[in-house]
């Protein structure tokens, strides 16, 4: 097994972009500091050197114009990848994302395609405080016209990023900042993971746990612990949050009769609410207990690690949540 | 007037097409036959016509809430435009966009826009793609005086200059944003004063003079095509009707004599007088042109009225390229 | 009863602002066209004439700066009311709302108060198309630090707007555009409806329907029809969407055992998901059927009335939804 | 140098306080003792000090991601600032804000800001309130060269001018936004070129010369207090360390000799030399000041280290003024 090629999550992103750009001249990247510097997270490293400054473009600090650049170029035939450094900055470009990119095809009566990929770094855990740590994916998933992707590991990153770039609708690829260094096997050849297909990361019979991004990994840790006590969790990572793979989720719920949804985002109004509601609607009679949700408390992300570590769900709190659920009649 | 007669005819025709379309739309709106908001372009025809006559079909424009004028100037089809305003399935946007989102990709018209200023960043994207492809296409962003106060315009102007893109920023300064005069919302008089802050040339022109607009645009477009980067054109103009619709319904916000003075400078009638004076045109020919286009608009209204409404099963169509897997 | 004083929904808003401004010099209003013109919906009519241009301020078309104006003035001691004409324009000012107004107090360790009211016109039904018709309240409710208010009638409008103005946290007051002309009794004297308290608009025993804004009124129409068939609906209007009056909602669910949530917003990820999830979590064993949801389909708001009328829920579709739910075992 | 010795001492002390605080923070960060990001102000001290020395305690400032410098210049308390950087409950923000949100309302410091450009609209609000109350207070918005490319800055500048507010826009032009040179992101060289587009006066000053900064600010503040409206000051300056932290970790993005040249113009050392030359100050006195402040910072570090961490029950506190009814 020493020959298994490993890549980090950030490296897998980089390779997906590189391979796509090699194959299609219409693809370009634009964003702040992504050119000469390779991006503040290093995810665009080496691309400008390889493809030139016309295809890997350093932009001004102008998030609205960055997304607009992508929209205008996409609707006139290119395949842009535009970067909004931190997910929190989506708020700065929100009009272009929500009122323009998401709706343009529809408003034009279908006479447009929008092969636009927006990449951004999400999630907390780096003491980056309230404006650099948010998980805003639920907001994006509420907007018809967008697709939202959130990989939990290097393998999925490469396959999903490839799918985003090939997609003809606007996609938002969220890279979890704390997963950037995660390393695992990633095939060198190009491959695509279809959008909208969940991944059953671990099969189990006692309880279904749905988690994405970094929380999928925390859930796997919790699941291993519980397995030692004979509790077998089925862990499902939706991978694509919009469109959501409702079928896979509901099927598992019907099998295990108990479901927990976990995310890093604030619980109130988070994606967990939608997932739980769909499960209740489609598998009510199979459930032994209401679908449980774990998410962050209703506050901005606090700066101090002493607070942030309790703010975020982790393997221990997920394990406790699962035990709690399993104990319910 | 150095422009050749065919160019003059073209400019005139574009203006009259706008006027005829807009007047018809206004009448229909007053008769409650058009749903939604309607922002008429009447009075500002010289701007859209003068600019668009300097463009090719594969050049791009982005527009505003006041968007039919731009689309007509770019060559928009009366039938499908009128059908769109009526929300019919034969409309430019199959009834899903309406007045505020009217568009025609085949003419490079990247949409009217309901969000003030939001078109400019999109024009920057089109200009980027045009430079990227290297086929000499340019993009034009239309926007109002009020729109220059919004962040999206600023970011677009700066980015276009930083990336040295083939783009023209065309400002329709009609001295009002909705019901509020420019003087209440900015401390400058001329929008062109903003150009230097981005590092692009800017020029003020009489937006009631289609020749002036056209010549300034030719220069800016030539610069853009030659790799000379962005320019800003400020056309001083005026809308003859209300912010939306025809009549003032709420409080009066513009002095009567101001409106009257501008109307005296009607961009179409003054141009016709000039052409007739110069012998390029006769009064009869002018009347013929109006009559011909008035006939066309009647056909378009009939086409639109006779067209079917979209059916409810169309609601979820075209949200995405395919409906597979989409939420309901 | 001929002496009952009536006011429109828009008029009730205007009166709340006027009375508050009379009582407190620190209150001012700012927004596009609200001064001399009185606002495009007429809701600010007469206020500039009464209070002067320094207290009722016409602003440039600069939604970010409008909200920033409110934030900076609020944190330095005034009580601003700032207007974002259409709810869709919240996207333009999203950073100032989400990253600044909502979080400032928390980021400052509590050393700040933010008595800021943001008013906006929400909802569809006027053929105003995709960028002037949205219902984005679920997005705002997901942001810790904000309060969100959505009155369904003139009486509530006056009382809730008064509460918003007196509130020391940032509130967003959504006026439904199609309710502006709705007329009903509104007392002349000033009164306040506390934020976070639901209104049981109609008592009933068979099914609970939770609806807000214009949908609350559509639901009342449906409920009257159903009453003729002996189906008694309890209709609850939360009035404040954040914080949500979970207690009143859950109590009713425990009583009727069947719940429907209705909103005009897109169903996927709408507030209905959160409300349904809370009910499931807190009243699971009382429910005869999963909480049902009615919302808009997953598309932008279409322009054509022929489409929009089918896009929006109405009394008929709500009635059908209730019948459907009641028929479930 | 027309400034009186006490003013010179004040300017000097403000600069040294910043330097001492920032160097200490940098060392702690390198030793992994500070969580999160740290954007140091070293090299730019003349700007914050020169500006803030022209303000009263009840004047307001808004700041940037590079915010400790501004707060120290406004009189910020070392102990509570250092405690905040360490995420302690005794910190300026009780550990909830950290470096990027450090603030002190009692000094009119309305917060560092993690969103580039977002402070400027807030400063406009403070300026509006100051005008409204009529007590002669002013507001200053600090921002970088890069921030002038973002929409929020533009809207703030225009609105301040339209409403004729008592505000000073203070630009720290250090020629870079993160790791990208200004020349890649704008087609102009001087930020001050943007002032005319809003209708306010603008002036370029040497941002390494605290006297120049101070004098320009005195003038702009006097104008604002007298009802003369907004001004823009562009201070040409340089940060001596990396965008965040001290060392360059990633690729090199600034030429070594550029950095070296700017360091030769250290705003504190050059000012000390001038004062000593003029006889306003002695070398001994200078050393004493540094030693005194170095002592203070050691105390602050000790205070911060000894302070308790916030407890988890604090997470939901201060989201709202009261916890009643809030979601969990
Ligand atoms: C972001 C945004 N804010 C406000 C509005 C409402 N609105 C529509 S048109 C308009 C005035 C625009 O003025 P200007 O740019 O001068 O164009 P004009 O109408 O004069 O052609 C306003 C404020 C909007 N559509 N979008
Ligand atoms: C809206 C937004 N975009 C991007 C960033 C990331 N970022 C943080 S600081 C910075 C550079 C700011 O440059 P400038 O305004 O010149 O300030 P300087 O760091 O040079 O002091 C960037 C891009 C951010 N924090 N906010
Ligand atoms: Mg205008
Ligand atoms: Mg800089």
């Amino acid at each position: 097994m020493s020959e298994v090629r490993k890549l980090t999550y950030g490296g897998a992103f980089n390779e997906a972009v590189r391979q796509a750009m090699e194959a299609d001249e219409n693809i370009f990247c634009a964003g702040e500091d992504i050119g000469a510097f390779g991006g503040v997270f290093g995810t665009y490293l080496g691309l400008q050197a390889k493809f030139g400054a016309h295809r890997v473009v350093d932009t001004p600090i102008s998030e609205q114009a960055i997304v607009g650049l992508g929209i205008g170029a996409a609707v006139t035939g290119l395949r842009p990848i535009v970067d909004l450094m931190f997910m929190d900055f989506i708020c700065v470009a929100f009009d272009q994302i929500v009122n323009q990119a998401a709706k343009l095809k529809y408003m034009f009566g279908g006479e447009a395609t929008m092969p636009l990929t927006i990449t951004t770094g999400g999630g907390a855990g780096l003491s980056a405080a309230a404006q650099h740590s948010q998980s805003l994916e639920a907001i994006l998933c509420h907007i018809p016209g967008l697709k939202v992707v959130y990989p939990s590991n290097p393998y999925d990153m490469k396959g999903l990023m490839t799918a985003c770039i090939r997609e003809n609708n606007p996609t938002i690829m969220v890279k979890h900042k704390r997963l950037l260094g995660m390393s695992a096997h990633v095939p060198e050849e190009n491959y695509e993971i279809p959008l909208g297909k969940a991944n059953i990361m671990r099969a189990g019979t006692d309880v279904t746990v749905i988690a994405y991004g970094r929380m999928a990994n925390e859930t796997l840790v919790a699941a291993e612990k519980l397995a030692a006590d004979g509790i077998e969790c089925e862990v499902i990572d939706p991978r694509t949050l919009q469109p959501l793979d409702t079928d896979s989720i509901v099927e598992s719920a019907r099998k295990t009769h108990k479901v927990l949804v976990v995310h890093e985002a604030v619980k109130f109004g988070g994606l967990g609410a939608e997932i739980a509601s769909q499960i209740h609607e489609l598998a009510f009679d199979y459930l032994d207990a209401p679908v449980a949700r774990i998410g962050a408390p209703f506050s901005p992300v606090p700066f101090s690690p002493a607070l942030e570590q309790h703010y975020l769900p982790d393997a221990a709190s997920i394990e406790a949540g699962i035990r709690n659920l399993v104990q319910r009649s | 007037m150095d422009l050749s007669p065919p160019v003059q005819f073209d400019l005139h025709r574009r203006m009259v097409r706008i006027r005829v379309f807009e007047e018809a739309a206004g009448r229909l709106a007053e008769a409650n036959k058009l749903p939604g908001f309607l922002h008429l372009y009447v009075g500002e025809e010289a701007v859209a016509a003068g600019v668009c006559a300097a463009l090719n079909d594969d050049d791009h424009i982005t527009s505003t809430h006041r968007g039919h004028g731009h689309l007509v100037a770019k060559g928009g089809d009366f039938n499908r435009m009128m059908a769109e305003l009526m929300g019919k399935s034969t409309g430019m946007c199959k009834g899903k966009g309406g007045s505020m989102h009217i568009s025609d990709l085949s003419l490079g018209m990247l949409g009217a826009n309901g969000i003030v200023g939001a078109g400019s960043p999109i024009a920057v994207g089109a200009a980027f793609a045009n430079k990227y492809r290297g086929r000499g296409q340019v993009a034009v962003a239309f926007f109002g005086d009020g729109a220059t106060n919004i962040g999206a315009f600023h970011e677009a102007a700066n980015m276009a200059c930083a990336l040295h893109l083939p783009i023209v920023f065309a400002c329709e300064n009609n001295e009002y944003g909705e019901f509020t005069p420019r003087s209440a919302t900015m401390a400058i008089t001329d929008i062109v004063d903003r150009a230097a802050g981005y590092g692009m040339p800017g020029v003020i022109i009489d937006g009631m003079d289609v020749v002036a607009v056209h010549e300034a645009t030719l220069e800016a477009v030539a610069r853009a095509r030659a790799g000379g980067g962005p320019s800003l054109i400020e056309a001083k103009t005026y809308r003859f009707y209300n912010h939306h619709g025809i009549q003032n319904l709420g409080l009066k916000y513009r002095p009567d004599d101001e409106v009257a003075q501008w109307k005296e400078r009607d961009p179409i009638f003054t141009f016709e007088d000039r052409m007739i004076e110069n012998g390029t045109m006769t009064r009869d020919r002018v009347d013929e042109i109006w009559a011909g286009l008035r006939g066309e608009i009647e056909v378009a209204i009939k086409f639109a009225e006779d067209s079917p409404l979209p059916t409810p099963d169309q609601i979820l169509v075209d949200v995405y390229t395919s409906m597979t897997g989409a939420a309901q």
Side-chain angles (χ1 to χ4, degrees), chain A, chain B:
Chain A
M1 294 295 281
S2 68
E3 277 164 52
V4 165
R5 191 186 78 124
K6 289 193 164 192
L7 223 53
T8 61
Y9 183 86
F13 173 90
N14 188 278
E15 186 166 279
V17 175
R18 181 168 54 72
Q19 290 179 348
M21 290 184 75
E22 276 165 358
D24 184 348
E25 286 213 333
N26 285 325
I27 301 169
F28 74 95
C29 310
E32 295 159 22
D33 303 292
I34 70 161
F37 198 76
V40 297
F41 304 122
T43 46
Y44 287 85
L45 257 178
L47 295 174
Q48 190 183 69
K50 187 169 171 62
F51 297 108
H54 66 298
R55 291 188 70 191
V56 182
V57 181
D58 277 319
T59 67
I61 308 172
S62 307
E63 277 76 9
Q64 295 190 70
I66 290 170
V67 176
L69 177 74
I71 295 170
V75 81
T76 57
L78 300 186
R79 305 187 74 83
I81 301 169
V82 300
D83 186 64
L84 300 176
M85 213 180 282
F86 285 79
M87 191 172 204
D88 316 70
F89 307 166
I90 275 180
C91 299
V92 184
F94 207 59
D95 174 64
Q96 288 287 324
I97 298 172
V98 168
N99 286 332
Q100 313 298 331
K103 297 176 171 46
L104 192 140
K105 180 183 185 62
Y106 193 78
M107 295 187 304
F108 284 18
E111 296 296 313
T113 49
M114 186 64 67
L116 167 65
T117 305
I118 299 173
T119 66
T120 191
L126 292 173
S127 307
Q131 294 172 339
H132 282 71
S133 305
Q134 287 169 92
S135 294
L136 298 173
E137 58 275 6
I139 286 178
L140 298 167
C141 292
H142 186 48
I143 306 298
L146 300 178
K147 298 197 173 186
V148 183
V149 176
Y150 206 150
S152 67
N153 60 70
Y155 180 88
D156 286 359
M157 170 54 93
K158 182 169 172 185
L160 290 168
M161 184 60 192
T162 301
C164 286
I165 298 172
R166 292 190 190 154
E167 170 73 30
N168 281 328
N169 297 290
T171 56
I172 299 178
M173 156 57 76
V174 190
K175 303 172 269 187
H176 196 293
K177 297 192 283 287
R178 271 197 52 188
L179 293 180
L180 290 167
M182 178 185 184
S183 183
H185 171 55
V186 175
E188 196 155 348
E189 68 271 15
N190 201 232
Y191 59 96
E192 179 176 338
I193 296 174
L195 301 187
K197 286 275 165 266
N199 180 22
I200 302 181
M201 299 187 94
R202 186 185 194 287
T205 46
D206 299 323
V207 57
T208 299
V209 187
I210 298 154
Y212 57 86
R214 192 166 77 80
M215 289 301 125
N217 302 308
E218 294 291 309
T219 301
L220 286 178
V221 173
E224 287 314 312
K225 275 221 168 173
L226 290 159
D229 291 353
I231 300 171
E232 290 298 336
C233 301
E234 182 141 305
V235 180
I236 300 185
D237 174 4
R239 298 194 290 204
T240 306
L241 308 184
Q242 184 62 274
L244 192 67
D245 186 352
T246 301
D247 289 350
S248 300
I249 289 168
V250 169
E251 193 182 317
S252 180
R254 289 186 175 166
K255 184 176 79 177
T256 64
H257 316 301
K258 286 178 178 155
V259 188
L260 172 71
V261 192
V262 184
H263 52 59
E264 214 182 290
V266 158
K267 181 178 165 193
F268 191 106
L271 194 66
E274 177 61 33
I275 295 175
S277 293
Q278 292 196 14
I279 296 169
H280 288 123
E281 279 158 9
L282 299 168
F284 190 70
D285 296 333
Y286 296 82
L287 295 177
D288 292 342
V291 177
R293 296 183 288 160
I294 290 181
F298 203 63
S299 84
V301 182
F303 163 67
S304 182
L307 297 174
E308 194 185 26
Q309 87 194 52
H310 296 283
Y311 177 86
L312 289 176
D314 60 12
S317 63
I318 296 167
E319 187 192 329
I322 297 170
R323 284 193 194 278
N324 214 28
L325 180 58
V326 170
Q327 272 148 31
R328 272 196 67 141
S329 68
Chain B
M1 197 147 55
D2 291 341
L3 301 172
S4 70
V7 172
Q8 294 181 39
F9 299 154
D10 178 47
L11 290 172
H12 178 251
R13 188 179 171 79
R14 285 182 205 251
M15 287 198 292
V16 181
R17 284 191 86 223
I18 300 175
R19 179 71 55 96
V20 163
F21 185 88
E22 297 292 82
E23 299 272 3
R27 275 195 312 276
L28 289 166
E30 297 234 307
N32 275 322
K33 288 188 171 174
L34 297 188
F37 297 120
L38 188 80
H39 302 94
L40 295 177
Y41 200 75
V42 174
E44 308 189 3
E45 292 91 344
V47 188
V51 168
C52 291
L55 302 178
N56 301 327
D57 274 3
D58 68 349
D59 292 325
H60 301 103
I61 64 171
T62 61
S63 167
T64 66
H65 53 290
R66 203 174 297 291
H68 335 129
H70 303 131
L71 179 48
V72 172
K74 196 82 176 37
D77 176 63
F78 274 6
N79 289 11
R80 294 183 57 213
M81 286 184 69
M82 198 52 89
E84 188 58 35
L85 297 197
M86 292 194 192
K88 297 300 182 79
S89 66
T90 55
M92 219 49 116
C93 314
K94 305 198 179 116
K96 285 174 179 162
S99 164
M100 268 195 293
H101 305 295
I102 204 148
S103 61
D104 188 345
L105 275 187
S106 70
L107 294 170
M109 176 357 182
L110 306 181
N113 210 312
I115 305 295
V116 166
S120 292
I122 297 173
V124 169
F128 179 89
N130 291 342
K131 182 175 179 184
Y132 194 91
R133 270 187 297 263
R135 298 193 204 123
Q137 295 153 276
V138 302
V140 173
F142 286 102
F143 52 94
D145 49 313
T148 69
N149 295 331
I150 206 161
F153 162 75
H154 172 76
E155 295 189 7
N158 181 67
M159 189 181 281
C161 291
L163 302 181
H164 206 65
L165 300 179
I167 190 168
V168 179
F169 290 94
C171 181
E172 293 152 347
N173 183 353
N174 62 12
E175 297 289 328
Y176 289 83
E178 291 197 345
F179 313 99
T180 302
R182 186 195 38 66
S183 59
T185 61
M186 51 180 96
I188 55 170
T189 305
D190 300 318
I191 304 301
V192 83
D193 290 352
R194 304 203 149 153
Y198 306 111
M200 63 179 151
V203 60
I204 297 179
I205 46 170
D206 178 358
M208 306 311 262
D209 178 352
V210 70
V211 174
V213 174
H214 188 59
E215 287 176 339
T217 311
L218 284 174
E219 190 184 321
V221 165
R223 174 163 44 236
R225 289 202 211 282
S231 323
L232 188 143
I233 292 175
E234 175 182 4
K236 305 277 194 186
T237 184
Y238 204 75
R239 59 174 154 75
F240 288 177
Y241 295 135
N242 196 19
H243 169 61
H244 55 82
I246 291 206
Q247 285 176 17
N248 252 9
L249 291 178
L251 302 172
K252 188 191 285 192
Y253 58 96
R254 304 191 299 187
D256 285 341
D257 58 339
E258 179 182 293
V259 180
Q261 272 166 30
W262 280 96
K263 281 192 175 167
E264 268 170 37
R265 305 190 49 231
D266 188 301
I268 304 180
F269 302 153
T270 54
F271 187 53
E272 288 171 350
D273 290 348
R274 266 165 91 182
M275 286 196 298
I276 291 167
E277 213 165 281
N278 293 351
T280 322
M281 191 64 115
T282 62
R283 179 65 59 195
D284 283 354
R285 181 71 194 116
V286 163
D287 292 345
E288 241 174 71
I289 289 165
W290 282 89
L293 290 170
R294 287 212 171 99
E296 281 184 32
I297 205 69
E298 291 311 318
V299 173
I301 292 169
K302 179 95 175 58
F303 170 83
E305 282 175 342
D306 291 349
S307 288
L309 289 165
T311 47
D313 59 307
Q314 294 303 301
I315 289 176
L316 283 171
V317 175
D318 288 330
V319 182
Y320 299 98
T321 47
S322 135
M323 284 178 67
T324 323
Q328 296 296 299

